[in-house]
Amino acid sequence: MITEPLINNPAEPVITSKNGEGKKENLKQRAYLNTLSSMLDYIANRLTGLFVNPFIVGGLGSSLFGIWQMLGQLTGYINITDTRASQVLKWTVAQKKDVATADELQSDAGAAFIVLLCIMPVLLIGGSIISWYAPFITHAGLAHYTLIRTTCSLLVFSLIIFKFFELFEAILRGMNLSFKRMGLRAGIVIIGGGLKVLVIKMGYGLAGLAAVQLVDTLLTGLSFYAVVKKNIGWFGIKRPSRANILRFGKLSAWYLADAGANVVNSNSDKLLLGIITSPVTVTYYTLTKFIPMALQGIINRLILGIMPGVGKLLGLKEYEKINNVRKKINSVTLLLTTAFGVTVILFNHTFLKVWVGKEHFAGQLANVMIMITIMQDTFVKNDACIISATLDIKKKVFLTLISGALFAGFGILFASKWGIVGLCLALIISRLFLFIGQRKILAGIMQSGAQSEFRISYRPFFTSFILFGLAVWLASITGVVTIYQLALLAPTVFLTSLIAFYFFGLRKTERQELRQMVTSIKFLKSDKAFSKN
């Protein structure tokens, strides 16, 4: 956590924008609004993918679709050289917004911009190297070399452009005003999905998909700029002091290391699987993982909506409140992942049959293993978000690097023997190490003993295990159902699992806390109607 004071002149007045950012926030209400905005964007993204992916699979074929998925992760490797200046800016604004002047915040934005400019040549060089070697890494045929390199170059260019626009999003998130862009990104995603279908139908293939990605990035970035300019009174970039640039550079260096560690640890599964097995196996893995990943994304967005408020509490050192928030986050996460997991285990095979054909299902054992990795990874991400909000991520970086090394080592060994199941086993081992390490880091940050952090109630985990076991047993009996049965049974199973875990997995006090949290949110009112915490 930052120990140096974030405010250069605390005697100066608290900034107040034309929309009243200087007012005391209702953190729960803004968390709800931010989450709602993020959920709309994510649901639009997943529904668009649900509609578009069958066209892409049909247009490209299983092999090129697998290569498209591998290229998505491969281009992400330029993030190893990314300073993540936007992340530093987001958490800096989140901690300072109620106590800093407009000049200070503009100086912070300027420092982030300069740090980003300094790293641009490295990103371009790294992207060029990745694009050149992409055909060899993806096992593409000689006839596709030029196509793969062109596609990869467009994806890299899109990613680099997004780095600049990400500064605007960081300011919006730091100010806890993400809900101000509600619906914009969702609309752009839907437009992009339509364009992807169009380019596939017109025969432009991989290059066409990458070009649409670039257009989508430009539209998204420009919309962020318009929203920030309209809603944040202090918005602007001021020439920063050398000390401020150095402070951002130092913090960004650790975020660079964190980004590199996360790329290896969290953005390599498809790439590693494709290199060891084949792009076709990546296709099976990606499609089987589509629904579990979609459900994880919903939960992650629930958590991300709360994080800027946690950043404010960290700045005020209100650790007791943060610990209460963490407990509620963990309860909600286990509740939802269990209900989602039971539903996925029972009906993912049927969903894939209806969606892209049952031959793309990776198998029931792989399905269960994928769901376990998703469940585990969700808890890891929850803790990682809180650690990142402290702006002290040194220990987390080392943990993530070790976890990435464990994944790479076990992944090469296990995936070569057992394919997708082996890859998932490697993920479980590496994430378990990361989960335990991050809990110890949080125990120190929250000024609580590590021993108390591991006094875990086994009741919810035992309940989750029982429900998962029942789901596996029922799946072996029922097999594939019809689309009409799926539409009726999937929501029923989800709600039944949710209610069962709520009553049998949570203690009475935990149920009361969840009810209080939900009832305290005014679902049909905007943030303007509230000014109290």
Side-chain angles (χ1 to χ4, degrees):
M1 209 167 352
I2 290 180
T3 54
E4 299 174 4
L6 289 171
I7 301 97
N8 295 330
N9 186 1
E12 291 183 354
V14 174
I15 60 104
T16 303
S17 77
K18 60 186 177 184
N19 288 299
E21 290 98 346
K23 294 179 181 178
K24 198 175 183 182
E25 300 169 84
N26 180 346
L27 294 180
K28 288 181 182 178
Q29 189 65 19
R30 286 204 175 181
Y32 158 66
L33 292 170
N34 289 334
T35 299
L36 179 61
S37 175
S38 183
M39 290 283 283
L40 285 174
D41 295 343
Y42 187 75
I43 290 171
N45 183 287
R46 287 288 122 176
L47 288 178
T48 301
L50 192 66
F51 173 76
V52 170
N53 275 339
F55 288 96
I56 299 178
V57 173
L60 298 180
S62 294
S63 181
L64 279 180
F65 180 79
I67 289 175
W68 169 247
Q69 294 297 317
M70 291 175 71
L71 289 177
Q73 288 200 332
L74 185 60
T75 53
Y77 267 69
I78 68 170
N79 284 321
I80 290 176
T81 59
D82 179 19
T83 60
R84 303 296 295 274
S86 61
Q87 293 296 305
V88 180
L89 179 61
K90 176 177 73 174
W91 296 120
T92 299
V93 170
Q95 291 192 17
K96 293 176 65 173
K97 62 190 178 69
D98 287 337
V99 288
T101 65
D103 285 346
E104 284 183 85
L105 293 171
Q106 289 172 358
S107 175
D108 288 334
F113 183 73
I114 289 175
V115 169
L116 183 60
L117 279 179
C118 290
I119 205 66
M120 273 299 123
V122 181
L123 291 175
L124 288 169
I125 293 171
S128 300
I129 294 171
I130 287 172
S131 298
W132 180 259
Y133 286 102
F136 307 107
I137 296 171
T138 58
H139 301 308
L142 185 62
H144 291 132
Y145 274 26
T146 301
L147 172 64
I148 299 299
R149 285 171 178 152
T150 301
T151 302
C152 197
S153 297
L154 286 171
L155 290 175
V156 167
F157 188 49
S158 173
L159 193 59
I160 289 174
I161 289 175
F162 183 71
K163 295 298 176 188
F164 283 103
F165 286 126
E166 205 173 19
L167 294 178
F168 304 133
E169 183 181 15
I171 292 172
L172 203 62
R173 287 186 179 277
M175 293 298 295
N176 214 4
L177 293 171
S178 295
F179 62 91
K180 293 292 185 180
R181 60 162 176 78
M182 192 177 295
L184 272 176
R185 193 173 223 170
I188 293 170
V189 166
I190 293 170
I191 292 170
L195 290 175
K196 285 179 180 178
V197 173
L198 182 63
V199 297
I200 287 293
K201 287 293 186 181
M202 294 176 68
Y204 291 112
L206 289 176
L209 291 174
V212 171
Q213 187 80 16
L214 179 59
V215 171
D216 187 272
T217 298
L218 289 169
L219 290 175
T220 301
L222 290 172
S223 71
F224 275 133
Y225 171 77
V227 172
V228 171
K229 188 172 179 61
K230 178 181 178 181
N231 292 285
I232 297 179
W234 62 263
F235 172 65
I237 293 177
K238 182 180 178 181
R239 182 176 179 178
S241 65
R242 182 176 298 179
N244 206 15
I245 294 174
L246 290 174
R247 185 176 72 83
F248 257 76
K250 183 179 178 181
L251 288 170
S252 293
W254 280 108
Y255 274 86
L256 183 151
D258 188 46
N262 280 321
V263 165
V264 175
N265 199 35
S266 302
N267 201 39
S268 301
D269 52 345
K270 297 173 187 176
L271 199 58
L272 188 146
L273 187 64
I275 292 171
I276 293 176
T277 57
S278 69
V280 174
T281 306
V282 176
T283 297
Y284 298 155
Y285 175 68
T286 301
L287 296 176
T288 303
K289 198 178 180 181
F290 181 84
I291 286 296
M293 282 291 292
L295 300 177
Q296 184 195 33
I298 292 172
I299 298 170
N300 285 343
R301 274 145 187 82
L302 288 171
I303 306 307
L304 284 173
I306 300 170
M307 283 304 138
V310 170
K312 176 179 177 178
L313 293 175
L314 282 165
L316 298 173
K317 297 185 178 181
E318 296 186 6
Y319 300 120
E320 187 176 345
K321 286 186 178 181
I322 297 171
N323 271 321
N324 288 333
V325 171
R326 286 178 60 214
K327 289 176 183 177
K328 292 174 183 176
I329 286 174
N330 288 333
S331 294
V332 171
T333 299
L334 195 54
L335 174 71
L336 292 177
T337 52
T338 298
F340 282 141
V342 169
T343 309
V344 166
I345 290 170
L346 279 169
F347 300 115
N348 203 17
H349 193 183
T350 299
F351 166 76
L352 285 170
K353 177 189 174 183
V354 173
W355 186 38
V356 289
K358 64 179 180 181
E359 68 276 7
H360 292 103
F361 184 57
Q364 190 58 259
L365 179 57
N367 186 39
V368 174
M369 293 289 283
I370 286 172
M371 195 60 234
I372 292 172
T373 63
I374 292 293
M375 190 173 184
Q376 187 184 34
D377 189 54
T378 305
F379 282 97
V380 170
K381 281 184 168 62
N382 289 351
D383 291 340
C385 282
I386 297 176
I387 295 172
S388 296
T390 68
L391 295 177
D392 183 8
I393 58 172
K394 301 180 186 67
K395 293 179 181 178
K396 175 178 174 289
V397 168
F398 292 124
L399 274 175
T400 309
L401 282 171
I402 296 171
S403 176
L406 288 172
F407 168 63
F410 284 112
I412 293 170
L413 178 64
F414 293 159
S416 60
K417 292 183 178 180
W418 303 308
I420 294 172
V421 173
L423 182 81
C424 291
L425 184 58
L427 283 170
I428 289 170
I429 293 171
S430 65
R431 295 302 187 276
L432 180 61
F433 171 82
L434 191 56
F435 175 78
I436 294 172
Q438 286 187 164
R439 285 297 169 101
K440 288 185 176 180
I441 292 174
L442 282 172
I445 291 172
M446 301 303 155
Q447 300 179 348
S448 59
Q451 194 173 18
S452 64
E453 286 299 311
F454 291 95
R455 288 178 183 169
I456 299 173
S457 171
Y458 291 99
R459 175 177 168 177
F461 292 100
F462 183 73
T463 305
S464 182
F465 177 78
I466 292 295
L467 290 173
F468 268 41
L470 285 172
V472 172
W473 176 68
L474 286 172
S476 66
I477 294 175
T478 57
V480 177
V481 298
T482 67
I483 185 173
Y484 302 107
Q485 290 172 325
L486 176 67
L488 176 66
L489 292 175
T492 303
V493 167
F494 173 78
L495 289 174
T496 303
S497 303
L498 194 76
I499 294 169
F501 186 89
Y502 178 79
F503 284 104
F504 296 109
L506 299 178
R507 296 190 301 269
K508 184 178 180 180
T509 54
E510 292 171 330
R511 294 197 296 269
Q512 289 174 342
E513 287 175 353
L514 285 179
R515 286 199 301 269
Q516 288 172 0
M517 183 175 66
V518 172
T519 56
S520 67
I521 296 171
K522 311 300 181 183
F523 290 97
L524 299 178
K525 293 188 178 181
S526 71
D527 182 65
K528 292 180 181 180
F530 299 87
S531 61
K532 296 179 181 179
N533 274 326

